[in-house]
Amino acid sequence: MRIGELATRTGVSVRSLRYYEEQGLLASVRSSSGQRHYTDQEVERVTFIQRLYAAGLSSRTIAALLPCVDAPSKENSDAALERMALERERLSQHITDLLQTRDSLDAMIAGARRHRERV
Amino acid sequence: MRIGELATRTGVSVRSLRYYEEQGLLASVRSSSGQRHYTDQEVERVTFIQRLYAAGLSSRTIAALLPCVDAPSKENSDAALERMALERERLSQHITDLLQTRDSLDAMIAGARRHRERV
DNA sequence: CTAAAACCTCACATGGATGTCAGAGGCAAG
DNA sequence: CTTGCCTCTGACATCCATGTGAGGTTTTAG
């Protein structure tokens, strides 16, 4: 498929897909005229990239991890393993924070509700 | 206390504190010479603001919610309640996504570990 | 064959929170 | 009083993912 279809399938803008390629996160096969072509596999990969972005990882970090997903090997696994564990920890901490924040929000909401009914 | 102390106590830069004030998130009492002064209360408030930032809320949104924390009233509670519920929902969704991402990361890590031991 | 739609590259713009610098004034300790 | 640190405002810089537009080629549909 071409880039437009990948974009609509993943919900990611064409611009972003090109950016991912520029950052080394996403590969494409070029037709003789220079147009990018992708396989169905890439749909999954793009959503995975999006997920990592949502987890707060930067392009650089994602670029460092992806090779390990693609082809786990001695060279990359050692360094990447550590990095993944690190990011996993950061993510866990972040989730904990967010849960706490949600509790705070809930308390705020409950407070507002109480106030409203009292009046 | 003055701004420097608030900064070190909260771990937030002086620059950011001034920015919060500019955005209407944080108030200060000015001395005759124009220096900002804060009470201990503000320490808590700053960390709360940080928490909301970490939850992905923007300054605008935070500014819209905070009045409701400060002084719940008929005027603000009605609109803010809805907004809070909305943000609460967004946050919940985000947490769900992150949990999924963490699972993916765990799978990646497990894969790398397996590979390493196999070799 | 032609027109519309999709694609290409390059480059500049945007937004949001923060960093940083300059120039000036404030305040406490020696 | 002076020295050194803190603070003030204002402005410009930065990072990063994305948007946007120009100018040009390719593909597709009629």
Side-chain angles (χ1 to χ4, degrees), chain B residues 3-4 18 30 34 36:
Chain B
I3 199 170
R18 291 201 264 250
R30 299 300 188 101
R36 295 170 176 84

Side-chain angles (χ1 to χ4, degrees), chain A residues 110-119, chain B residues 72-74 77-79 81-82:
Chain A
R113 282 235 168 79
R114 258 199 312 283
H115 186 272
R116 188 201 221 154
E117 279 161 23
R118 219 174 37 234
V119 177
Chain B
S73 72
K74 259 206 297 284
S77 74
D78 257 26
L81 197 56
E82 215 168 324

